[in-house]
């Protein structure tokens, strides 16, 4: 099933891929109060009126940067006058990467009077709470969508591509551009829906290329103490590259174990590794490739990247792919907010988001954003390959942009009845 908005997205994509368009970096969140909508304040004075309440659920242990980036944009917006003098009141609820805590955080966000959720980043928010968002008529513009429900349900539209498209893009670039014939994989399957979504992504790559994995180890668990056995098994295989879907410190730990056992094969990893912090900590003797979900953050010659970098630096927010997603989520939210005529409420914002007919471009994004009225939303299916060369500690942009629709990408779904 293809969302109704995909055709429009594809029509405009070449314009966006040239990164020639730009939109103002303004951002705010809509609140569950009765004041009027309309244009932002032109007074230049800090906003002191009736707050506009917005929330987000995030696993702050793994993804602190996305909501920090949202807050940075909102702070600037409030300082410039907010929406007709109304400031943004933004609250982030830590779901602690725990289902029970996530469900409680969702109720806290709803009780706050939030009119929308913006910039959330969590390993399980969408899986735990998507029906709660639907039942309460609230939409979520995710900064970092992770689990498959972020991409397969009607009230959530992430700014990012997510780990399943990342998997497809990593494998595709590895086999078709880099020419790896025997790609081995070590993966965390997680729960049934994510396992199925990863299987879909791998199958889509296989259908598009005629290739298959030379070896697949799905025995990983999040945060396991040692990868010695996994790496030992990899050494016994005929691999010319290794794909891994873990995040954060777990990737560094596995790379360290690979080095300990004398492996220097290229690694293909997910966008979650795309940060200066990872580049500085990943002491590995081989090259590491991944698909950036936005214009590479190190290329400040791109207008949108320069504006983002300046905002992050001014507010002390780390420059990562996660903070790019949060920044864009805030930007997109503002565009929708300022389209509303009349009262700013949860209902009016949801109606505006689902009633979108025009895409929102950004010079930093590789695809335009649209929410729209569809059963599911996957507006961003593009990737820009980058590499961390052995011994350099610096990411290098490779390009060109990869477009999922042209390569055979299949939209993420979740198992029936789940």
């Amino acid at each position: 099933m293809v969302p109704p908005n995909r055709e429009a997205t594809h029509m405009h994509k070449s314009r966006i891929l040239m990164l020639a368009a730009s939109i103002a970096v303004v951002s705010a969140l809509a609140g569950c109060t009765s004041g009027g909508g309309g244009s932002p304040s032109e007074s230049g004075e800090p906003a002191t009126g009736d707050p506009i309440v917005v929330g987000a659920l995030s696993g702050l242990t793994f993804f602190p940067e996305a909501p920090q980036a949202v807050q940075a944009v909102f702070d600037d917006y409030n300082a410039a006058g907010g929406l007709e003098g109304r400031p943004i009141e933004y609250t982030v609820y830590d779901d602690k990467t725990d289902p029970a805590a996530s469900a409680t955080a969702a109720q806290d966000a709803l009780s706050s009077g939030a009119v929308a959720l913006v910039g959330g980043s969590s390993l399980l928010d969408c899986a735990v709470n998507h029906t709660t968002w639907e039942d309460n008529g609230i939409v979520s513009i995710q900064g970092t969508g992770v689990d498959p429900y972020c991409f397969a349900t009607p009230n959530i539209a992430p700014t990012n591509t997510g780990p399943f498209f990342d998997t497809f893009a990593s494998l595709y670039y590895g086999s078709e551009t880099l020419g790896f014939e025997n790609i081995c994989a070590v993966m965390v399957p997680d729960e049934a829906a994510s396992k199925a979504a990863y299987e879909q992504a791998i199958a889509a790559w296989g259908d598009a290329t005629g290739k298959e994995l030379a070896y697949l180890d799905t025995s990983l668990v999040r945060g396991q103490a040692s990868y010695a056995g996994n790496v030992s098994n990899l050494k016994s295989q005929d691999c010319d590259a290794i794909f891994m879907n873990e995040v954060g410190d777990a990737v560094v730990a596995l790379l360290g174990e690979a080095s300990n056992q004398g492996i220097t094969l290229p690694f293909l990893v997910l966008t979650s590794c795309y940060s200066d912090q990872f580049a500085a900590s990943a002491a590995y003797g081989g090259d590491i490739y991944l698909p950036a979900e936005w214009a590479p953050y190190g290329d400040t010659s791109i207008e949108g990247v320069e504006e983002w970098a300046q905002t992050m630096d001014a507010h002390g927010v780390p420059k990562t792919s996660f903070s790019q997603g949060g920044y864009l989520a805030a930007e997109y939210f503002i565009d929708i907010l300022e389209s509303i005529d009349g009262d700013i409420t949860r209902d009016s914002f949801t109606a505006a988001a689902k009633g979108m007919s025009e895409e929102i471009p950004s010079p930093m994004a590789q695809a335009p954003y649209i929410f729209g009225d569809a059963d599911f939303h996957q507006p961003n299916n593009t990737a820009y390959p980058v590499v961390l060369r052995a011994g350099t500690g610096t990411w290098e942009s490779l390009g060109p942009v990869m477009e999922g629709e042209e390569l055979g990408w299949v939209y993420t779904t979740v198992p029936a009845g789940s």
Side-chain angles (χ1 to χ4, degrees), residues 131-164:
T131 55
T132 299
W133 308 146
E134 294 159 31
D135 292 344
N136 288 274
I138 192 169
V139 295
S140 177
I141 301 174
Q142 292 279 123
T144 307
V146 179
D147 71 69
Y149 295 89
C150 298
F151 307 93
T153 54
N155 281 40
I156 304 170
T159 62
N160 67 319
T161 64
F164 313 111

Side-chain angles (χ1 to χ4, degrees), residues 67-77 90 311-312 314-315 317 327:
Q68 288 173 4
V70 175
Q71 186 69 67
V73 176
F74 293 162
D75 285 347
D76 287 350
Y77 189 73
Y90 183 57
T311 302
M312 298 303 98
H315 292 270
V317 180
Y327 174 94

Side-chain angles (χ1 to χ4, degrees), residues 91-104:
T91 302
V92 181
Y93 300 88
D94 187 0
D95 72 7
K96 306 182 188 302
T97 315
D98 173 79
S102 187
T104 299

Side-chain angles (χ1 to χ4, degrees), residues 12-353:
H12 292 279
K13 193 170 289 182
S14 61
R15 171 170 56 89
I16 304 304
L17 294 175
M18 293 176 67
L19 301 172
S22 71
I23 60 176
V25 183
V26 289
S27 191
L29 290 169
C32 197
T33 56
S34 62
S39 61
S41 171
E42 297 178 358
S43 69
E45 297 295 325
T48 57
D50 190 20
I52 297 171
V53 180
V54 178
L57 268 66
S58 286
L60 296 180
T61 300
F62 292 99
F63 308 108
E65 302 100 322
Q68 288 173 4
V70 175
Q71 186 69 67
V73 176
F74 293 162
D75 285 347
D76 287 350
Y77 189 73
N78 291 343
L83 184 70
E84 297 185 342
R86 298 181 62 188
I88 307 309
E89 184 177 292
Y90 183 57
T91 302
V92 181
Y93 300 88
D94 187 0
D95 72 7
K96 306 182 188 302
T97 315
D98 173 79
S102 187
T104 299
Q107 294 304 316
D108 290 342
L110 292 170
S111 298
S112 74
V115 298
L117 304 161
V118 175
S121 305
S122 168
L123 292 174
L124 46 72
D125 165 34
C126 302
V128 173
N129 299 311
H130 68 96
T131 55
T132 299
W133 308 146
E134 294 159 31
D135 292 344
N136 288 274
I138 192 169
V139 295
S140 177
I141 301 174
Q142 292 279 123
T144 307
V146 179
D147 71 69
Y149 295 89
C150 298
F151 307 93
T153 54
N155 281 40
I156 304 170
T159 62
N160 67 319
T161 64
F164 313 111
F165 179 77
D166 284 357
T167 295
F168 171 85
S170 284
L171 293 173
Y172 193 101
Y173 190 77
S175 66
E176 304 311 294
T177 300
L178 300 175
F180 299 139
E181 292 292 333
N182 296 312
I183 299 177
C184 299
V186 284
M187 300 182 66
V188 178
D190 288 323
E191 87 302 331
S194 290
K195 181 176 184 291
Y198 280 119
E199 289 172 348
Q200 290 171 28
I202 293 170
W205 163 69
D207 290 343
T209 65
K211 308 289 176 59
E212 60 183 27
L213 293 173
Y215 170 76
L216 175 59
D217 174 2
T218 59
S219 69
L220 297 190
V221 295
R222 298 284 178 194
Q224 69 185 59
S226 171
Y227 296 97
N230 304 97
V231 172
S232 178
N233 289 337
L234 281 169
K235 289 183 66 176
S236 67
Q237 307 299 319
D238 183 21
C239 311
D240 54 14
I242 300 168
F243 171 78
M244 183 183 187
N245 73 330
E246 258 286 16
V247 299
D249 292 342
V251 180
V252 175
L254 192 141
L255 290 170
E257 182 59 40
S259 294
N260 290 340
Q261 297 194 33
I263 292 179
T264 57
L265 292 172
F267 262 79
L268 308 171
V269 298
L270 302 183
T271 312
S272 58
C273 297
Y274 187 37
S275 70
D276 288 347
Q277 294 91 328
F278 178 89
S281 61
Y284 180 63
D287 295 340
I288 303 170
Y289 297 88
L290 61 77
E293 297 177 323
W294 326 110
Y297 68 73
D299 189 353
T300 54
S301 67
I302 300 170
E303 180 182 357
V305 176
E306 181 179 17
E307 292 170 349
W308 161 80
Q310 290 172 349
T311 302
M312 298 303 98
D313 286 343
H315 292 270
V317 180
K319 293 192 287 291
T320 69
S321 182
F322 297 136
S323 57
Q324 285 182 300
Y327 174 94
L328 288 170
E331 225 180 31
Y332 298 151
F333 179 88
I334 288 304
D335 198 285
I336 299 169
L337 175 70
E338 293 178 353
S339 74
I340 298 173
D341 264 337
D343 293 348
I344 304 298
T345 67
R346 183 179 299 171
D347 288 345
S348 67
F349 188 87
T350 296

Side-chain angles (χ1 to χ4, degrees), residues 56 113 401 408:
V401 172

